[in-house]
Amino acid sequence: MNFINKLSAAWTTNHSLLCVGLDPDLARFPAQLAGEPDAIFLFCKVIIDATADLACSFKPQIAYFAALGAEGQLERICAYARQHYPHIPLILDAKRGDIGATARQYAREAFDRYGADAVTVNPYMGFDSVEPYMEWSDRGAIVLCRTSNPGGSDLQFLMADGKPLYQHVARLVAEKWNKNGQCALVVGATFPEELAQVRAIVGEMPLLVPGVGAQGGDVEATVKSGRTASGAGMMINSSRAILYAVPQGSEDFAAAARRVALETRDAINLYR
């Protein structure tokens, strides 16, 4: 099963558009993991187990692992997710953006080393920087388009042939680059009007949508702007709001994460 088919099945099976981001920050870990040599693996494993029936995808952010020399724990997390939840797409958030042989090595890292179903990539160097990922015909390339950060407008709103650059990227990916039907786009929840314009350009193409939760994106506006006619088409990511949810009453960190994930999934579903 390829990335797009697996994602479509997860939307239906878990009745969810929620993508759970895995951004492990040791400074925010629960006290019970203090001093554990494989704390990152244990933390992410518990989060995955607590939210697997509520998510349409998991998205580990590679920088949070690599900065701590914890790539081995990332490998274990990816292997665990593939073994226990093979029906849920695993997205490596790496935002790679090189070309040729170097891009091919990044693709090997994402798809062979970590076994990801898809990886985020940067289109700034053009199709050369995306094409090597398409050699893995069952995997996905998720291209940065309209990012959730305010500074994205520095470049993404520059005009190209009379249209903002982010719209030019959306059209390029939809009409020229997506030869094997493997592509998706990153479009931030913090800009629902631009999200709606991207949806109009790309049709049914999946969108990875960061920016709800800790970044404050509006769930209703996001869903109404980015959903497809079938009420799907999005992986709406929440990371810190779920990972570091404040326990209530007798909850442990896993129960708190599950509660917030459930609340987020259900809030999204209200507007599908």
Side-chain angles (χ1 to χ4, degrees):
M1 181 179 290
N2 66 29
F3 165 62
I4 299 297
N5 292 337
K6 184 183 287 192
L7 177 60
S8 296
W11 286 330
T12 300
T13 301
N14 282 356
H15 190 47
S16 177
L17 304 183
L18 174 65
C19 174
V20 176
L22 301 174
D23 300 1
D25 180 351
L26 290 175
R28 303 183 69 176
F29 275 15
Q32 68 202 71
L33 294 179
E36 289 283 351
D38 56 352
I40 292 173
F41 170 77
L42 294 172
F43 178 80
C44 292
K45 174 184 176 296
V46 169
I47 295 294
I48 288 171
D49 288 339
T51 62
D53 62 327
L54 304 173
C56 72
S57 52
F58 290 114
K59 184 178 69 64
Q61 163 50 254
I62 194 169
Y64 281 85
F65 297 84
L68 299 172
E71 292 95 332
Q73 293 188 65
L74 176 57
E75 288 185 45
R76 292 173 62 198
I77 280 297
C78 292
Y80 181 84
R82 292 196 312 274
Q83 178 182 356
H84 294 275
Y85 308 102
H87 58 293
I88 300 179
L90 183 66
I91 299 165
L92 185 67
D93 192 357
K95 300 182 179 69
R96 301 306 195 198
D98 218 314
I99 59 172
T102 303
R104 192 165 290 105
Q105 296 308 308
Y106 280 138
R108 288 184 61 200
E109 173 194 43
F111 300 144
D112 293 345
R113 180 181 183 186
Y114 295 116
D117 294 292
V119 61
T120 56
V121 296
N122 191 320
Y124 190 75
M125 295 179 76
F127 186 55
D128 299 23
S129 64
V130 177
E131 187 176 23
Y133 298 89
M134 297 181 178
E135 295 176 13
W136 283 257
S137 60
D138 60 336
R139 311 301 172 93
I142 306 178
V143 182
L144 298 179
C145 179
R146 179 63 175 124
T147 58
S148 58
N149 60 306
S153 299
D154 294 346
L155 294 179
Q156 293 159 21
F157 259 74
L158 295 176
M159 302 304 287
D161 295 329
K163 299 288 185 180
L165 182 59
Y166 79 89
Q167 292 185 23
H168 186 65
V169 170
R171 198 171 303 280
L172 268 177
V173 175
E175 297 179 1
K176 295 184 178 181
W177 295 4
N178 194 25
K179 297 177 180 179
N180 300 320
Q182 297 167 253
C183 291
L185 292 174
V186 176
V187 186
T190 44
F191 302 105
E193 292 183 9
E194 286 97 86
L195 177 58
Q197 293 180 29
V198 170
R199 173 57 70 202
I201 291 169
V202 304
E204 299 289 308
M205 181 181 291
L207 304 178
L208 174 59
V209 184
V212 303
Q215 294 188 58
D218 181 81
V219 171
E220 179 179 1
T222 296
V223 177
K224 290 182 175 180
S225 297
R227 65 188 176 191
T228 59
S230 64
M234 291 190 290
M235 301 159 277
I236 301 176
N237 183 77
S238 180
S239 301
R240 288 167 289 171
I242 292 173
L243 300 180
Y244 309 113
V246 178
Q248 297 180 359
S250 61
E251 287 181 336
D252 60 9
F253 78 94
R258 178 174 177 81
R259 170 175 48 80
V260 174
L262 178 62
E263 292 171 353
T264 307
R265 187 204 63 172
D266 290 351
I268 291 168
N269 285 343
L270 282 176
Y271 305 106
R272 291 177 63 182

